[in-house]
Amino acid sequence: NAGVTQTPKFRILKIGQSMTLQCAQDMNHNYMYWYRQDPGMGLKLIYYSVGAGITDKGEVPNGYNVSRSTTEDFPLRLELAAPSQTSVYFCASSYSDGGPLYGELFFGEGSRLTVL
Amino acid sequence: RKEVEQDPGPFNVPEGATVAFNCTYSNSASQSFFWYRQDCRKEPKLLMSVYSSGNEDGRFTAQLNRASQYISLLIRDSKLSDSATYLCVVFSGGYNKLIFGAGTRLAVHP
């Protein structure tokens, strides 16, 4: 099993450019998440999805958009990139029946984005 | 006050030492607790869940104190390979309330 796969691993953007970070999981997990991690900081939730067709904002959604058309894929779109979006982005997935989280979050290897 | 607080460290310890990390959380309704390990420039990986009765996995022991709202991680007989950042994670209902601490960095030296 590949687990959670993120692409690209590294990207440099110019201010104002747009791009999509891809995330795919092959574990049939219903929940998927996008986090960003700034140096010395905890992971901050950008968006999450509880299933195909359902997405919701996390703590820091501004400047981002997501879609979840299939169980497997959860792309993150950055519109009009800004230097403040320079960060490491992690996609994660988990299985849940909607109750408290008792299971593990599986993370992708991360995508390092620099906006200049 | 941050929802989840950890001492950032670094904790510099020799091989074989015992080291303990604490993590405090502000939401008394928090339901489940975890320790994740993150190696430098890598993704976080689950180290262990933290149960109310406390739990042990080899050299690692996790404790939960709901009254004082903190969880702890004890590492015995530290190995060089234990060098990493340890993230405290608290679930407080709703997946937008899975809160990660900033992490405690551990450096084990020969």
Side-chain angles (χ1 to χ4, degrees), chain A residues 10 31 33 35 37 40-43 45 48 57-58 90 94 96 98-105 107-110 112, chain B residues 2-3 31-34 36 38 40-46 49 51 87 91 94-103:
Chain A
F10 303 93
Y31 281 66
Y33 319 79
Y35 289 92
Q37 185 176 36
M41 306 290 286
L43 278 76
L45 183 64
Y48 69 103
K57 295 178 180 178
F90 288 103
S94 68
S96 173
L101 176 66
Y102 293 118
E104 180 176 354
L105 259 67
F107 286 85
E109 293 183 338
R112 298 181 182 279
Chain B
K2 291 182 182 177
E3 293 188 76
Q31 297 167 290
S32 45
F33 310 88
F34 310 88
Y36 275 70
Q38 186 173 25
C40 187
R41 301 177 73 82
K42 297 285 191 180
E43 72 274 23
K45 291 184 179 178
L46 180 66
S49 301
Y51 303 125
L87 307 175
F91 178 78
Y95 285 81
N96 55 345
K97 295 305 287 180
L98 184 66
I99 307 298
F100 284 76

Side-chain angles (χ1 to χ4, degrees), chain B residues 18-34:
Chain B
T18 295
V19 61
F21 308 136
N22 281 340
C23 165
T24 59
Y25 60 94
S26 61
N27 186 345
S28 59
S30 297
Q31 297 167 290
S32 45
F33 310 88
F34 310 88

